[in-house]
Amino acid sequence: MTKLTTAVIITAIASSCNAFAPVPQQQSIRSVELNAMSRALPFLSEPKNLKGYVGDVGFDPFAFSEFFDIKWLREAEIKHGRASMLACLGFILQEYWTLPGMTHVDDSNLAPSVVGVSSMVQIVVWMGVLEFWTNKGNVTMENMFEDPKREPGNLGFDPMGLSSGKSQEEKDAMALKEIKNGRLAMLAIGGMIHHNWITGEALF
């Protein structure tokens, strides 16, 4: 009876000691990965489909990356960013310089109505042709990235050779600058347009 009691006591002590044993590091790291929170929105889980992309800060509040092709989404972001950077420049330049043969207007929002429908249609048509040509006819979400080597936003356009001789780290740094400036430009052009709409005055 004494031996049995001693065995029970030893077993109980050993069990209680195990409760304070450190959790294996691998298990702890795995738990953190599963419960990682977004850097941009720390009250939401980190979007797993954004991992590995330049500029990822975990910002996907509507979970678009869960339902749409992430490559297509990245391509759309980069192209809209590029268009917005050009738009910001054009919106400001319009106030101070006018193309020969065109009527000058201080409010850049009025420029489309001044140049007429035909000029605006030309822009839309030629942008469509450019889109079709650069994507080799694959312009839908379903087939745009049939080629697994196709990199979102990379159209092979580098006339000044800015990426020549650069390491992958340097290329990623340049890509991050483009993405950040593009995101800022998308907000900026929206602000410029609404400024003119609300005030009824030119930007500057």
Side-chain angles (χ1 to χ4, degrees):
M1 183 68 179
T2 304
K3 292 182 179 180
L4 179 61
T5 303
T6 303
V8 170
I9 293 173
I10 292 174
T11 302
I13 293 173
S15 299
S16 62
C17 288
N18 286 337
F20 297 95
V23 178
Q25 186 177 4
Q26 185 177 358
Q27 181 179 349
S28 178
I29 293 174
R30 181 61 180 162
S31 177
V32 171
E33 288 177 352
L34 290 173
N35 299 316
M37 305 304 287
S38 164
R39 281 187 292 159
L41 302 169
F43 50 86
L44 295 177
S45 297
E46 187 178 50
K48 63 180 184 298
N49 291 335
L50 300 184
K51 284 286 188 181
Y53 282 92
V54 175
D56 168 35
V57 291
F59 185 82
D60 187 17
F62 298 108
F64 286 143
S65 62
E66 299 291 329
F67 303 101
F68 300 101
D69 183 358
I70 185 61
K71 286 187 174 182
W72 185 85
L73 292 173
R74 171 47 62 100
E75 176 104 349
E77 179 186 30
I78 292 174
K79 285 184 175 179
H80 279 83
R82 290 168 179 170
S84 295
M85 285 188 278
L86 291 173
C88 287
L89 177 63
F91 201 89
I92 296 170
L93 189 63
Q94 156 69 28
E95 288 189 35
Y96 305 102
W97 183 73
T98 304
L99 288 170
M102 296 292 181
T103 303
H104 175 77
V105 287
D106 290 329
D107 186 349
S108 299
N109 281 350
L110 300 178
S113 61
V114 172
V115 299
V117 175
S118 60
S119 296
M120 300 306 297
V121 170
Q122 287 182 51
I123 294 175
V124 173
V125 170
W126 283 110
M127 287 300 100
V129 170
L130 183 62
E131 183 81 359
F132 191 86
W133 175 61
T134 55
N135 287 293
K136 300 178 181 178
N138 299 323
V139 294
T140 67
M141 189 188 303
E142 288 75 19
N143 62 17
M144 185 176 287
F145 292 96
E146 285 183 343
D147 181 1
K149 296 181 180 179
R150 167 89 154 78
E151 184 181 343
N154 186 0
L155 305 177
F157 183 78
D158 187 15
M160 300 179 67
L162 297 177
S163 62
S164 298
K166 297 288 194 303
S167 65
Q168 188 58 48
E169 184 178 352
E170 290 173 320
K171 290 180 180 179
D172 288 346
M174 293 175 68
L176 181 60
K177 292 175 183 177
E178 180 187 31
I179 289 171
K180 285 186 173 182
N181 280 282
R183 290 170 177 171
L184 178 61
M186 285 187 276
L187 295 172
I189 190 62
M192 292 177 185
I193 291 171
H194 283 81
H195 167 273
N196 287 18
W197 273 346
I198 293 171
T199 65
E201 299 177 355
L203 190 61
F204 297 109

